[in-house]
Amino acid sequence: MTLVDRVVFPGSFDPLTNGHVDIILRGLKVFDQAEVTVGVLCNPDKKYLFTGDERVALIKEVFSEYGQRVRVKSFSGLLADFLRQEDVKVIVRGLRAISDFEYENQIALMNRYLSEVETCFLVASEENSFISSSLVKQVAGLHGDVARFVPPIVAQALERKFR
Ligand code: ADP
């Protein structure tokens, strides 16, 4: 067995939620010899609430105490190309429900064809399984309280966006 020394957790993180944080923390435990790179997708055709730089900065701040073990990088284009560039063979993704599985399964197979990487799924913790970035944005946009769903600095950033 080869030692896994790098994994990538890719996503939009628009914005980072407690569900993402949980997957990153558990990824660090499962791959305890590895560096976890959070790959922040910046697709020019997609509309995001937070810019790529803002999303990256928020994640960096939340994980600032983890030093080299958590790196945050933005990427655009094919994930397979980003993985090649980073020399990474393992993707970590979170699974909330069966509905996530159908999409995730397709993407995982495609990524394996494109770059021979394995996708490792971590099942969402029960208390986070209903949290999604899009729902958090909807609630924050209507001035609902999102403190329970996102790290404090993300809650503050959402408040600034919707003020
Ligand atoms: P994408 O647009 O690529 O789905 P997201 O930022 O929404 O990007 O999600 C990135 C990853 O985090 C995905 O694997 C997703 O299933 C997972 N994820 C999102 N929300 C949660 C959550 N509440 N608990 C666990 N995993 C989650």
Side-chain angles (χ1 to χ4, degrees), residues 112-124:
R112 202 157 77 210
Y113 275 103
L114 293 176
S115 64
E116 290 180 15
V117 291
E118 291 294 347
T119 301
C120 168
F121 292 111
L122 298 181
V123 172

Side-chain angles (χ1 to χ4, degrees), residues 53-116:
D53 286 348
E54 286 171 332
R55 286 176 281 142
V56 166
L58 286 170
I59 306 170
K60 277 192 174 163
E61 198 169 331
V62 170
F63 287 92
S64 57
E65 68 195 73
Y66 287 82
Q68 286 292 91
R69 286 219 60 209
V70 179
R71 299 188 317 146
V72 190
K73 287 196 171 177
S74 62
F75 73 100
S76 58
L78 273 183
L79 174 59
D81 290 337
F82 179 62
L83 297 170
R84 221 169 280 126
Q85 193 185 307
E86 295 289 307
D87 193 21
V88 170
K89 302 266 183 303
V90 178
I91 301 171
V92 173
R93 294 279 287 179
L95 272 187
R96 282 162 294 189
I98 297 284
S99 51
D100 272 353
F101 179 77
E102 289 182 22
Y103 170 74
E104 294 289 344
N105 184 45
Q106 271 191 316
I107 301 288
L109 288 172
M110 182 58 82
N111 281 326
R112 202 157 77 210
Y113 275 103
L114 293 176
S115 64
E116 290 180 15

Side-chain angles (χ1 to χ4, degrees), residues 9-13 19-20 23 46 93-94 96 100 104 124 128 131:
F9 179 38
S12 308
F13 306 103
H20 298 131
I23 297 294
K46 208 176 148 189
R93 294 279 287 179
R96 282 162 294 189
D100 272 353
E104 294 289 344
N128 294 327
I131 303 175

Side-chain angles (χ1 to χ4, degrees), residues 30-43:
V30 174
F31 299 101
D32 62 350
Q33 304 294 311
E35 224 174 59
V36 174
T37 299
V38 183
V40 179
L41 180 63
C42 298
N43 181 343

